[in-house]
Amino acid sequence: MEIPFSPPFVNDEIINEVVDTLRSGWITTGPKVKQLEKEVVELTGCPEALAVNSWTSGAILVLKWFGVGKGDEVIIPAYTYSATALSVIHCGATPIMVDVLDDFTMDPIKLKQAITKRTKVVMPVDFAGLMCDYEAINEVVKDKAVVSLFTPASEKQSDLGRILVLSDAAHSIGAKLNEVSSGKATDITIFSFHAVKNVTTAEGGIICINLPKPFSNEEEYKLMRLWSLNGQTKDAFTKSQAGGWKYDILFAGLKVNMPDLCAALGLGQIRLYSQLLNERTRIGKAYEAFFSNQAWAKCPILVDEKRVSCNHLYALRINGINEAQRDQMIEYITDLGVAVNVHFIPMPMLTVFKDLGYRIEDYPQAYKNYAVEISLPIYPQLTNEEVSYICSTVERAYKSLL
Ligand SMILES: *Cc1c(COP(=O)(O)O)cnc(C)c1O
């Protein structure tokens, strides 16, 4: 059997949606993007959603919108994809990494200890489809002592009056915390629509805006939209209408809008999302049924008292092995035709961050999680037969170590 890790879900309905865009005479930002934004608002309950061309560009946009720059600090977990940190670096600010919990999400106690008067934003990461403990994290940023330390240096920072909680929700569209959907649990949430994510537009992302008073989410949507379109007062669609040629550039914005051609792919997917989520859950439960009976295996949390995962990744851990043995297992599994992965190599183990002085020794839980982790394939197209084959292949790989 040959089982790929994460092929995109594309059916005739989705293909028709893309072809419809190609035939429509309008391929960049226009009606399909508007419709996708509306679908995300309906799915999550967040007040406004702005589509962009990646999670990464969305994060840079939000940080710039909030006035984050040189001398500022943004707290992130050490255990994430590098884009979380790079978006901060691209704004000239400093990523402050903190360790994670056994469940892979940011440790709220470590977060609190890392806060200084330079902290402007905290960017927790919803790992594998499981949301962070935002009750605890929101409580930290609203703590009296933490609020009094906050030193605003932009109009938006003054309006908020505290650290902004910006969720890296690249994995968590469709997940829930206390019945609240990802997208509505923090000030701002960004989903990724990259090709391997639960919903994809090939490349893309969406910013869910859920700011408290005195902000008007509608006004901030309009402003962020300007940020995504060079700070230009008219988008290409409006300018293409007869008599619409005149425009102004209000400030040095980015150019990170999503094209309709991509939005069409995402629209086709998001309309099927509750079905696709059920299929992901089917696979997550099948893995759990098998691996929870193996003493050597540690299953990820799919559901707990507060949270329901959207089963983006299945992050299995192997008890009692070391990093080299994990690598050996992966080689064995790969040889039998199953593509697996590791999420994530902690950032302090990567050259760019080592060069900046980060050390993995400072993040023992991140290393511990990483060294024994193997991400198994999980996507709607996987058959039960394939899932059984993956389970027995992982079991054989473990036994091959003995
Ligand atoms: C995929 C991913 C990103 C980056 O998403 P892009 O849309 O490719 O920019 C950021 N954070 C996490 C945790 C991711 O998995």
Side-chain angles (χ1 to χ4, degrees), residues 230-383:
N230 287 328
Q232 183 170 310
T233 50
K234 276 185 194 166
D235 64 15
F237 193 73
T238 316
K239 261 183 78 206
S240 75
Q241 312 298 310
W245 63 273
K246 225 175 200 177
Y247 65 88
D248 193 11
I249 301 283
L250 300 178
F251 56 89
L254 306 168
K255 182 61 170 58
V256 297
N257 53 307
M258 178 188 284
D260 266 18
L261 195 54
C262 293
L265 178 50
L267 261 183
Q269 291 207 343
I270 211 161
R271 285 184 185 136
L272 297 172
Y273 194 48
S274 65
Q275 260 167 274
L276 299 178
L277 260 185
N278 285 342
E279 294 303 308
R280 286 181 173 275
T281 308
R282 164 179 63 86
I283 295 150
K285 281 185 173 162
Y287 282 143
E288 191 162 81
F290 182 85
F291 290 111
S292 61
N293 286 317
Q294 315 294 328
W296 48 269
K298 181 174 163 106
C299 296
I301 298 172
L302 305 184
V303 177
D304 67 12
E305 316 80 62
K306 292 183 184 174
R307 300 177 290 183
V308 183
S309 168
C310 65
N311 291 282
H312 173 59
L313 298 170
Y314 195 85
L316 186 72
R317 278 174 284 180
I318 313 298
N319 296 322
I321 64 167
N322 60 34
E323 189 182 347
Q325 289 172 311
R326 186 273 315 273
D327 295 354
Q328 232 175 296
M329 277 183 71
I330 289 181
E331 215 175 292
Y332 189 99
I333 295 167
T334 307
D335 285 344
L336 289 174
V338 179
V340 293
N341 240 303
V342 173
H343 292 91
F344 290 103
I345 303 172
M347 291 187 294
M349 295 176 75
L350 303 171
T351 302
V352 61
F353 301 109
K354 279 196 271 193
D355 288 351
L356 289 170
Y358 299 91
R359 294 284 167 265
I360 189 62
E361 292 74 23
D362 297 330
Y363 310 95
Q365 187 66 46
Y367 181 77
K368 204 171 157 221
N369 290 354
Y370 153 77
V372 300
E373 198 268 354
I374 304 176
S375 299
L376 306 182
I378 181 164
Y379 46 88
Q381 308 93 301
L382 272 182
T383 64

Side-chain angles (χ1 to χ4, degrees), residues 56-299:
T56 306
S57 60
I60 294 171
L61 188 160
V62 171
L63 293 171
K64 285 187 176 286
W65 163 86
F66 198 54
V68 174
K70 206 169 164 8
D72 293 333
E73 295 177 352
V74 176
I75 302 177
I76 61 174
Y79 206 84
T80 178
Y81 180 61
S82 304
T84 318
L86 294 180
S87 65
V88 177
I89 291 173
H90 290 318
C91 292
T94 306
I96 303 295
M97 297 185 195
V98 297
D99 209 355
V100 290
L101 301 167
D102 181 67
D103 74 3
F104 297 96
T105 63
M106 179 184 265
D107 183 338
I109 294 170
K110 293 272 161 54
L111 159 66
K112 193 165 184 183
Q113 290 164 349
I115 290 171
T116 72
K117 61 181 191 307
R118 290 180 296 277
T119 309
K120 292 292 160 63
V121 178
V122 49
M123 231 196 285
V125 177
D126 297 339
F127 181 81
L130 189 72
M131 289 167 73
C132 297
D133 184 353
Y134 288 119
E135 278 182 331
I137 290 170
N138 288 332
E139 202 173 296
V140 168
V141 301
K142 289 176 185 167
D143 177 90
K144 255 198 188 136
V146 170
V147 171
S148 66
L149 212 54
F150 186 70
T151 317
S154 75
E155 197 191 320
K156 301 297 171 198
Q157 292 174 18
S158 300
D159 286 349
L160 189 64
R162 60 160 168 81
I163 296 169
L164 178 81
V165 182
L166 168 56
S167 299
D168 178 341
H171 299 180
S172 71
I173 187 165
K176 287 196 169 153
L177 167 74
N178 293 329
E179 300 294 317
V180 175
S181 296
S182 179
K184 219 193 162 204
T186 62
D187 300 320
I188 295 181
T189 298
I190 309 178
F191 298 132
S192 171
F193 292 155
H194 175 265
V196 302
K197 304 293 155 82
N198 277 24
V199 172
T200 182
T201 57
E203 295 286 352
I206 203 153
I207 303 168
C208 298
I209 311 166
N210 182 46
L211 292 160
K213 286 202 160 60
F215 290 99
S216 150
N217 287 299
E218 199 184 333
E219 290 307 313
E220 301 312 324
Y221 167 88
K222 286 183 194 156
L223 179 55
M224 287 189 203
R225 193 161 186 277
L226 282 177
W227 267 106
S228 77
L229 285 160
N230 287 328
Q232 183 170 310
T233 50
K234 276 185 194 166
D235 64 15
F237 193 73
T238 316
K239 261 183 78 206
S240 75
Q241 312 298 310
W245 63 273
K246 225 175 200 177
Y247 65 88
D248 193 11
I249 301 283
L250 300 178
F251 56 89
L254 306 168
K255 182 61 170 58
V256 297
N257 53 307
M258 178 188 284
D260 266 18
L261 195 54
C262 293
L265 178 50
L267 261 183
Q269 291 207 343
I270 211 161
R271 285 184 185 136
L272 297 172
Y273 194 48
S274 65
Q275 260 167 274
L276 299 178
L277 260 185
N278 285 342
E279 294 303 308
R280 286 181 173 275
T281 308
R282 164 179 63 86
I283 295 150
K285 281 185 173 162
Y287 282 143
E288 191 162 81
F290 182 85
F291 290 111
S292 61
N293 286 317
Q294 315 294 328
W296 48 269
K298 181 174 163 106
C299 296

